[in-house]
Amino acid sequence: VSAKHYWQANLRRDDNSQFGGSTTGFAGYGYQITPEWRANISYGTSFVAPSFNQLYYPEYGNPSLQPERGRNTEFSLAYTHTNHQLKLVYFENKIRGFISAETIARNIAQTRIEGSTLSYHGDFGPLKLNTSLNQLSPRNVLSGKQLPLRAERQFILGANYDATPALKLGFSLLAVGNRFEDAANTQRMGGYGLVDLYADYV
């Protein structure tokens, strides 16, 4: 870290008794354009072994599954002023062997998940707000179809309020757009929303 430059690099080694070893890494760079504006770029690789349920759960698991291997690129631009932050992120994930959660778990040879996220965080003293809008293009590269159970749009809104030093109130909203249940994109599933309320007294 220097006055305007930020670097990060990680290296990881996984040794799986069933699927062998894999080395993955991450490299990121950030530049503080002005006191309020910051730009970031990062690149990383990933290795995800199938879970026990994905391999062996009755009527769903597939013992022939192979691990996912991905390459992930991300660009972001953030504006921060006092207690407020606005951030725009663009990302592209290319995955070989993507594990699809259909009726029977299976690998998809090549997938590409491209998208952007616009988010806002605001601190208004006892009230804190968080919101984000996600736009995705989750695709099977070979067929051009949308990945099963992956929506193209998602909206999140959350609020936390310190009513008293001992009482905290919270609210969250998740809205998810239409998806497809199958790889052929013939079985459309409607969007849905979830609302959570909570109170915490200490």
Side-chain angles (χ1 to χ4, degrees):
V1 179
S2 65
K4 290 189 175 184
H5 304 273
Y6 302 82
W7 295 272
Q8 180 180 342
N10 303 329
L11 193 65
R12 171 174 170 160
R13 177 68 181 177
D14 287 278
D15 287 305
N16 187 291
S17 60
Q18 185 170 357
F19 299 106
S22 178
T23 301
T24 55
F26 171 88
Y29 169 72
Y31 180 70
Q32 196 73 43
I33 304 169
T34 71
E36 292 84 16
W37 289 95
R38 177 172 168 175
N40 299 277
I41 181 173
S42 65
Y43 175 82
T45 57
S46 62
F47 170 86
V48 181
S51 69
F52 181 86
N53 285 346
Q54 290 170 333
L55 288 167
Y56 305 117
Y57 193 84
E59 299 183 6
Y60 168 71
N62 179 0
S64 299
L65 283 178
Q66 295 298 308
E68 297 181 356
R69 300 177 188 272
R71 294 177 294 159
N72 317 303
T73 305
E74 182 177 296
F75 304 91
S76 67
L77 183 65
Y79 175 79
T80 305
H81 181 70
T82 60
N83 296 324
H84 306 274
Q85 183 184 76
L86 186 65
K87 188 174 184 179
L88 178 63
V89 179
Y90 166 81
F91 55 88
E92 181 186 58
N93 301 330
K94 295 181 179 179
I95 305 170
R96 290 186 290 115
F98 177 83
I99 299 174
S100 178
E102 301 175 59
T103 305
I104 300 295
R106 70 183 184 94
N107 290 109
I108 297 178
Q110 297 180 46
T111 63
R112 180 172 180 261
I113 302 175
E114 179 187 19
S116 59
T117 299
L118 180 63
S119 62
Y120 166 77
H121 171 76
D123 188 338
F124 300 88
L127 176 65
K128 296 174 177 59
L129 296 176
N130 292 280
T131 185
S132 66
L133 176 64
N134 303 293
Q135 178 72 41
L136 299 176
S137 178
R139 299 289 168 185
N140 180 327
V141 173
L142 300 181
S143 69
K145 300 293 186 179
Q146 185 174 328
L147 294 177
L149 305 179
R150 289 294 184 108
E152 293 185 321
R153 296 176 184 84
Q154 180 175 287
F155 175 74
I156 299 172
L157 174 64
N160 295 285
Y161 181 69
D162 296 333
T164 70
L167 178 62
K168 301 180 185 298
L169 305 175
F171 160 86
S172 68
L173 166 68
L174 170 65
V176 178
N178 295 332
R179 299 151 293 147
F180 290 99
E181 189 172 4
D182 61 325
N185 290 181
T186 60
Q187 303 173 34
R188 181 181 292 273
M189 303 172 66
Y192 66 91
L194 294 174
V195 176
D196 291 317
L197 302 172
Y198 79 86
D200 186 10
Y201 184 80
V202 180

